[in-house]
């Protein structure tokens, strides 16, 4: 992708697109024309694009905290633990059987053993998946090709995570707007249209969350695979 105003591909995917999506949702809720119905001239574009970029950065903070640090570990389980075959109870087991079969697929037993063996050989802690992950990460990031692939997955999962969070916020805004109109004016086509937007935003949020889980897992897989192959990650 050509650079947009000096922004990197990561900036465009993870931040600018997220910010513009949030501004479009704001337009739909409050009737503004930042994005929807906008007819930008150069001056307006110069103002709107940086605003969208900054807004994307702001959204990335709570998105990362709520989804990556809270929702995923508690509801789905972390990929670095799942890949080492840690057991899943309660809703984890149901998701594994019915919805996210790929996400709950562990690494091959042989690969897991190679990782453990290498960590032991290097006198690294191997008591749990957490320590193994950071041991592997410290090595994998030093390999140029591996780190390039890791960056691709970072870009993809960051985009999906931020859009999922934005869609969830938009869903809340659309629902509040629909209920407000219904209370003020009674049922109307506009209320129905807002409720369809609620459904659409919910589908986007769920779909992008599932894609986020896919790419988040693949990123973690890349870290472990690189560590399991000494020739790729530079075994001493």
């Amino acid at each position: 992708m050509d650079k947009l105003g000096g922004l990197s591909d990561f900036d465009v995917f993870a931040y600018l697109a997220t910010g513009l999506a949030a501004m479009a949702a704001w337009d739909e809720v409050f009737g503004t024309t930042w994005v929807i119905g906008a007819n930008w001239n150069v001056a307006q574009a110069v103002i709107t694009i940086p605003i969208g970029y900054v807004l994307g950065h702001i959204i990335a903070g709570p998105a990362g905290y709520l989804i990556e640090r809270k929702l995923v570990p508690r509801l789905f389980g972390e990929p670095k633990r799942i890949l080492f075959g840690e057991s899943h109870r309660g809703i984890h087991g149901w998701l594994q059987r019915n919805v996210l079969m790929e996400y709950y697929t562990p690494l091959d037993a042989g690969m897991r053993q190679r990782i453990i063996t290498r960590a032991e050989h290097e006198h690294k802690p191997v008591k749990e998946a957490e320590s193994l992950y950071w041991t592997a990460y410290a090595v994998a990031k030093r390999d140029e090709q591996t780190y390039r692939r890791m960056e691709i997955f970072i870009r993809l999962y960051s985009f999906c995570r931020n859009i999922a969070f934005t869609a969830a916020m938009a869903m809340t805004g659309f629902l509040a707007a629909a209920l407000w109109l219904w209370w003020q004016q009674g049922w109307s086509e506009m209320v129905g249209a807002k409720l369809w937007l609620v459904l659409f935003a919910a589908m986007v949020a769920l779909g992008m969350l599932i894609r986020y889980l896919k790419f988040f897992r693949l990123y973690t897989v890349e870290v472990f695979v690189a560590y399991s192959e000494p020739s790729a990650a530079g075994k001493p």
Side-chain angles (χ1 to χ4, degrees):
M1 178 183 290
D2 293 334
K3 299 294 186 289
L4 179 63
L7 299 178
S8 67
D9 289 353
F10 184 85
D11 288 326
V12 172
F13 278 100
Y15 303 125
L16 180 58
T18 299
L20 292 178
M23 293 169 73
W26 181 278
D27 286 343
E28 187 61 42
V29 172
F30 295 102
T32 55
T33 56
W34 284 100
V35 175
I36 297 178
N39 186 17
W40 295 346
N41 55 35
V42 174
Q44 290 170 326
V46 168
I47 294 173
T48 304
I49 289 176
I51 291 175
Y53 177 66
V54 171
L55 183 59
H57 271 280
I58 294 172
I59 291 171
Y65 177 76
L66 294 173
I67 294 178
E68 205 157 303
R69 297 187 183 182
K70 296 297 182 181
L71 180 66
V72 169
R74 295 183 181 182
L75 181 60
F76 301 105
E78 296 173 291
K80 58 191 171 189
R81 300 184 184 278
I82 292 169
L83 290 171
F84 266 81
E86 292 192 5
S87 60
H88 320 300
R89 298 179 180 178
I91 193 171
H92 290 182
W94 183 85
L95 289 169
Q96 180 182 12
R97 293 189 301 270
N98 299 283
V99 182
L100 300 170
M101 288 77 75
E102 181 182 1
Y103 183 76
Y104 288 102
T105 301
L107 292 172
D108 176 79
M111 182 178 294
R112 298 202 303 269
Q113 187 56 52
R114 289 198 300 273
I115 293 169
I116 293 171
T117 300
R118 178 174 180 180
E120 290 176 339
H121 176 76
E122 297 174 355
H123 306 289
K124 304 293 186 181
V126 294
K127 293 182 179 179
E128 58 180 17
E130 179 81 19
S131 59
L132 282 170
Y133 171 78
W134 289 112
T135 296
Y137 175 80
V139 174
K141 70 177 184 178
R142 295 200 297 264
D143 183 77
E144 183 178 348
Q145 292 185 349
T146 298
Y147 194 69
R148 189 179 302 119
R149 291 192 295 270
M150 289 165 61
E151 283 188 314
I152 292 172
F153 290 128
I154 290 173
R155 183 184 308 136
L156 290 169
Y157 83 61
S158 297
F159 170 73
C160 294
R161 180 198 65 202
N162 295 348
I163 291 295
F165 183 78
T166 301
M169 291 195 304
M171 179 184 67
T172 303
F174 296 152
L175 181 59
L179 293 176
W180 174 257
L181 285 173
W182 198 348
W183 182 66
Q184 290 287 315
Q185 306 172 7
W187 178 263
S188 66
E189 291 185 1
M190 185 174 295
V191 173
K194 296 291 185 186
L195 292 177
W196 278 112
L197 286 174
V198 171
L199 178 61
F200 174 74
M203 292 173 61
V204 171
L206 179 60
M208 295 305 284
L209 178 63
I210 292 173
R211 296 299 289 173
Y212 160 74
L213 293 172
K214 173 185 176 67
F215 294 125
F216 193 30
R217 177 185 182 275
L218 288 174
Y219 170 82
T220 311
V221 168
E222 191 66 40
V223 172
F224 282 130
V225 168
Y227 191 69
S228 73
E229 299 174 351
S231 61
K235 181 177 179 179

